[in-house]
Amino acid sequence: VEGELPLGPGVIDAPIGRQAESIIGRCVTPDGKPSRTEYTILKAENGLSLAACVPVTGRTHQIRVHLAAVKHPCVGDPLYGSDPTLAARPGLERQWLLAVDLGFEHPGSRELVTLPPSYPADLKPALDVVSQAAPPVLESARAAERGQGAEPDTAVVRRRWGEVLEALGRIRRTAPGAG
């Protein structure tokens, strides 16, 4: 995301609704539907932050809208106010946004359906940033699980980020061209 945010977990709890005069855009608005995004900032440098986000609710463009609402839009997301020059630095021509873990309950069988992650080649440079950030974040997650100084909500968020980082590690090992 744009800007250097403090490392660690956070929550954006803000209602999301349609932008006036737009069929695509959404915004944080008092008459919107309740929306909650939990995140952890894994790395922050050079005017950018690497965030792992969990959309607790499932609103359209939720992560994008919430990050833009706190003045830190996703890199490469002009719909929600990003600076196009920041996306150009790593050579991106689209949003720097990736679903690492995707699953849903099948409406008929009620079984959990999960989709295998795949990491696009144009986003591969992010893997190096994540792998450098992973050890301290994972240690924080482990400490939270042991109940060392973390509030219950924070422990849950940190445990989820540990799971996200483990999934990113699997992607790194299976991505085309990964060494």
Side-chain angles (χ1 to χ4, degrees), residues 44-65:
E45 64 182 30
N46 300 318
L48 300 173
S49 297
L50 181 63
C53 300
V54 172
V56 177
T57 50
R59 308 291 176 224
T60 301
H61 300 180
Q62 179 174 322
I63 293 170
R64 298 165 64 195
V65 171

Side-chain angles (χ1 to χ4, degrees), residues 113-147:
V113 176
T114 58
L115 305 173
S118 131
Y119 205 85
D122 65 330
L123 297 181
K124 193 168 181 325
L127 289 174
D128 294 329
V129 176
V130 171
S131 64
Q132 292 170 10
V137 173
L138 285 174
E139 184 50 41
S140 295
R142 289 182 188 114
E145 285 177 344
R146 292 190 300 265

Side-chain angles (χ1 to χ4, degrees), residues 143 147-151 158:
Q148 296 175 345
E151 297 175 13
R158 285 186 175 162

Side-chain angles (χ1 to χ4, degrees), residues 14-38:
I16 294 177
R18 285 189 189 270
Q19 286 179 352
E21 318 246 345
S22 175
I23 60 170
I24 298 172
R26 303 293 191 268
C27 63
V28 168
T29 177
D31 14 329
K33 294 181 179 179
S35 305
R36 180 181 175 94
T37 299
E38 297 173 351

Side-chain angles (χ1 to χ4, degrees), residues 84-179:
T85 62
L86 290 177
R89 285 195 331 213
L92 296 175
E93 296 182 8
R94 65 181 182 93
Q95 300 164 30
W96 195 337
L97 186 62
L98 170 70
V100 173
D101 192 19
L102 202 53
F104 60 93
E105 184 179 293
H106 188 280
S109 68
R110 299 290 188 217
E111 290 182 50
L112 179 62
V113 176
T114 58
L115 305 173
S118 131
Y119 205 85
D122 65 330
L123 297 181
K124 193 168 181 325
L127 289 174
D128 294 329
V129 176
V130 171
S131 64
Q132 292 170 10
V137 173
L138 285 174
E139 184 50 41
S140 295
R142 289 182 188 114
E145 285 177 344
R146 292 190 300 265
Q148 296 175 345
E151 297 175 13
D153 286 346
T154 304
V156 169
V157 171
R158 285 186 175 162
R159 186 171 54 254
R160 286 183 183 168
W161 302 136
E163 292 166 3
V164 167
L165 288 170
E166 288 174 13
L168 284 171
R170 288 192 302 274
I171 293 168
R172 183 181 178 96
R173 289 189 297 276
T174 60

